[in-house]
Amino acid sequence: MAEEQKVIIPRVKLGNQGLEVSKLGFGCMGLSGIYNAPLPEEVGISFIKEAYSKGITFFDTADVYGPHTNEILVGKALKHLPREKIQLATKFGVFPNRTEIKNPAINGSPEYIRACCDTSLKRLDLECIDLYYQHRVDTSVPIEETVC
C-alpha cells in the first residue's frame, strides 16, 4: 500500500500585529451558491473540515455571501475544529442591491460597520473575528472615518 503523504502548508504573517495564517487560505464564498447552487450544509462543513485536515487554517467569508448564510455555515463548521488553531476573516461593506444585482450597494459608515460586526459575530457564533476588513471601499465616506 502506498503511504499517504502529508502536505505541509507554509505559514505567513499578515500585517505587523502578529497574525499568522496558512499561506493557502480557503475562500468559503462558493459553498453558499454564489456561482453555483448552494451546497448542502453537511457537505460545506465537510469541505471546511477536510481543508483543515490538509493544513489550511485560514478561512475567509463575508456577510454578503448567501447573503448571511455563509457566515452561519462557517460558524457551524468551526464548532468541529480547534478554534485556537483557526484564523477567520470576514468582510463588511457590500450588500446586495435588489434592483441591480451586478451593482451592489456599498456602505463604509462607522455605524453600519459596527452593526455588521455585531451581526457577523452572532451568525458565526463567535466572540472574536481574527481579521475584519472592508469588502469594497465606500468613496463617499473618508477612510479615516471607516477605520475608526
Side-chain angles (χ1 to χ4, degrees):
M1 286 185 123
E3 250 185 73
E4 185 178 325
Q5 291 184 331
K6 176 85 171 151
V7 176
I8 300 192
I9 308 264
R11 299 189 60 76
V12 63
K13 289 191 185 295
L14 277 185
N16 60 6
Q17 296 183 355
L19 182 61
E20 188 176 290
V21 301
S22 56
K23 202 169 190 176
L24 179 61
F26 187 101
C28 298
M29 179 178 72
L31 301 176
S32 295
I34 301 301
Y35 298 116
N36 53 297
L39 296 176
E41 184 176 281
E42 63 277 1
V43 174
I45 290 171
S46 71
F47 280 10
I48 292 170
K49 289 167 58 178
E50 179 69 11
Y52 177 78
S53 77
K54 300 295 185 192
I56 295 173
T57 63
F58 185 41
F59 295 89
D60 179 86
T61 184
D63 60 358
V64 73
Y65 300 161
H68 310 304
T69 58
N70 195 259
E71 286 183 327
I72 294 167
L73 172 71
V74 170
K76 288 179 179 181
L78 293 183
K79 298 294 182 211
H80 299 270
L81 301 173
R83 178 64 179 105
E84 69 280 0
K85 294 182 179 181
I86 299 293
Q87 301 80 50
L88 177 69
T90 193
K91 299 177 279 302
F92 65 87
V94 173
F95 53 98
N97 183 339
R98 295 178 199 270
T99 59
E100 201 176 329
I101 302 280
K102 292 185 180 185
N103 188 21
I106 298 171
N107 189 338
S109 71
E111 300 79 20
Y112 179 74
I113 295 166
R114 279 190 281 284
C116 286
C117 185
D118 288 343
T119 55
S120 286
L121 285 166
K122 286 177 185 155
R123 283 189 293 271
L124 291 160
D125 195 19
L126 295 175
E127 293 181 20
C128 176
I129 297 165
D130 300 304
L131 176 61
Y132 191 60
Y133 63 109
Q134 192 171 14
H135 210 147
R136 300 284 188 280
V137 175
D138 182 350
T139 57
S140 70
V141 178
I143 194 67
E144 296 83 3
E145 290 181 28
T146 298
V147 299
C148 282

